[in-house]
Amino acid sequence: MSEFKEKYGPWAIVTGANAGIGKAIATELAVRGLNIIGVARRQELLDDLQQELSEDYGVKVRTIRADLTDMESISKIELATSDLEIGLVVPNAGVEMSGEFIDTSLDANERMLRLNVHAPMQMSKVFGAKMARRGRGGILFISSLFGYQGIPLVANYAATKAYILSLGEALNIEMKRHNVDVTVLSPGLTDTDMPANMPIDFSRMPIYAQHPEQVAKTGLNALGRKATVVSGLLNKFYAWENRFLPRSFPVSLFGFLIRHAFKEETVAKQTATQS
Ligand SMILES: NC(=O)c1ccc[n+]([C@@H]2O[C@H](COP(=O)([O-])OP(=O)(O)OC[C@H]3O[C@@H](n4cnc5c(N)ncnc54)[C@H](OP(=O)(O)O)[C@@H]3O)[C@@H](O)[C@H]2O)c1
């Protein structure tokens, strides 16, 4: 048995496993021999994942259809997996929200907080406690380069990611005595549906997109080695340089870059559909 599987197997829960970075993480975990519990809302994509991973890598796959903005959803996942030994949790599912904060819908902001903040907090607590009792396991949180400083026009999303970064780096230390590895992966721009649907023309910013597969490998390779990891060289630079500058500088810089790249007509439409 590989060292990775011994430490973090036999089962891993990945939320948002049916698309984007979550699907890439679930696939990389299957390559490493872990059985997967995939959580998301779109059942047909979960079914595809189940078929692909079991046929291609011979691992067991269970799917749980759940809307993680529902406060009861984590208890549902706990119940549905009570017969399994969960060695790794990846609370990956997340959504973004862009636009002038005061113009965005309060309800949509609250749902984003439940998905991006509340669900990962609850999952890491519930399954982290089980891992601590067992004396083994791992949690891979997904933050963002946007979590390293405030980001005007993506303010509340960036704040949710700052929460994850802070929670994860503290738990990295706290959970060491239980032999549970905690790492926070911060992707930069990654080629998934999320940025494709954002009202921002990222080609107008000095950043480049990575493939989800690269990002997934960066995160899983850092597990047990680092508290935090930023994916991509240029992204690492952005996260690193802002430690040496007055905090207002990177915030203003990102504010300038994002405003310049904003597709105003899209955000007007998005705000209209949110309210
Ligand atoms: N892509 C980027 O540039 C980027 C950069 C930095 C950080 N990130 C972070 O990486 C993570 C994954 O993002 P991504 O780019 O892979 O996004 P994505 O392609 O849009 O995928 C989002 C995943 O989350 C699931 N999901 C969304 N809302 C959900 C809900 N209410 N309940 C349960 N599942 C839900 C989706 O499945 P269903 O719709 O079927 O539920 C899907 O599997 C997020 O936490 C994001 O903040 C992404």
Side-chain angles (χ1 to χ4, degrees):
M1 196 191 288
S2 72
E3 197 192 332
F4 190 93
K5 190 172 165 184
E6 216 168 296
K7 268 177 115 174
Y8 307 120
W11 286 87
I13 302 182
V14 182
T15 69
N18 61 358
I21 294 171
K23 185 167 184 179
I25 290 174
T27 305
E28 182 60 26
L29 288 172
V31 169
R32 297 178 189 208
L34 267 65
N35 300 320
I36 305 296
I37 297 144
V39 182
R41 292 164 305 174
R42 287 168 293 174
Q43 187 63 50
E44 64 287 4
L45 295 184
L46 284 171
D47 292 344
D48 292 347
L49 177 86
Q50 184 165 38
Q51 192 176 354
E52 281 167 38
L53 299 191
S54 51
E55 282 178 7
D56 295 352
Y57 307 107
V59 297
K60 294 181 199 151
V61 182
R62 274 196 200 174
T63 64
I64 301 173
R65 186 178 184 193
D67 182 341
L68 296 167
T69 64
D70 172 0
M71 302 291 263
E72 303 300 314
S73 59
I74 307 302
S75 314
K76 182 177 159 183
I77 296 169
E78 192 187 3
L79 195 67
T81 58
S82 56
D83 58 325
L84 304 176
E85 193 175 323
I86 311 297
L88 181 65
V89 169
V90 186
N92 155 80
V95 290
E96 64 78 32
M97 178 155 311
S98 324
E100 301 282 347
F101 178 59
I102 55 170
D103 294 337
T104 54
S105 126
L106 182 59
D107 180 53
N109 274 289
E110 280 173 348
R111 273 186 279 120
M112 180 174 68
L113 283 177
R114 289 202 292 274
L115 179 65
N116 292 13
V117 170
H118 192 269
M121 177 279 291
Q122 218 184 332
M123 282 190 80
S124 56
K125 179 160 168 45
V126 167
F127 291 99
K130 292 183 189 212
M131 290 173 197
R133 280 198 291 277
R134 210 182 300 129
R136 165 183 88 79
I139 302 169
L140 180 65
F141 285 105
I142 314 298
S143 176
S144 166
L145 178 61
F146 281 11
Y148 277 78
Q149 63 285 295
I151 306 275
L153 298 177
V154 203
N156 198 22
Y157 170 74
T160 68
K161 293 298 171 179
Y163 171 91
I164 294 296
L165 184 59
S166 175
L167 177 71
E169 62 187 0
L171 292 186
N172 170 271
I173 302 291
E174 210 176 301
M175 297 294 274
K176 271 190 203 301
R177 58 194 281 263
H178 301 294
N179 197 31
V180 176
D181 296 330
V182 180
T183 293
V184 185
L185 164 66
S186 292
L189 180 63
T190 309
D191 195 8
T192 68
D193 288 346
M194 179 183 276
N197 293 327
M198 285 173 82
I200 297 171
D201 179 358
F202 286 103
S203 70
R204 299 173 76 180
M205 292 178 68
I207 50 174
Y208 64 91
Q210 285 197 298
H211 294 297
E213 294 73 20
Q214 286 173 288
V215 174
K217 283 198 179 106
T218 300
L220 293 174
N221 290 342
L223 196 59
R225 296 193 173 92
K226 293 178 176 180
T228 61
V229 64
V230 176
S231 188
L233 211 56
L234 184 59
N235 299 325
K236 281 187 204 306
F237 173 75
Y238 282 128
W240 170 83
E241 52 83 23
N242 68 12
R243 296 177 197 186
F244 305 105
L245 298 166
R247 213 168 146 84
S248 60
F249 182 82
V251 181
S252 306
L253 176 69
F254 267 106
F256 170 78
L257 293 172
I258 297 258
R259 197 170 285 283
H260 177 68
F262 231 79
K263 306 174 198 161
E264 290 293 348
E265 69 292 350
T266 330
V267 82
K269 225 188 308 166
Q270 196 183 48
T271 307
T273 52
Q274 280 165 8
S275 49

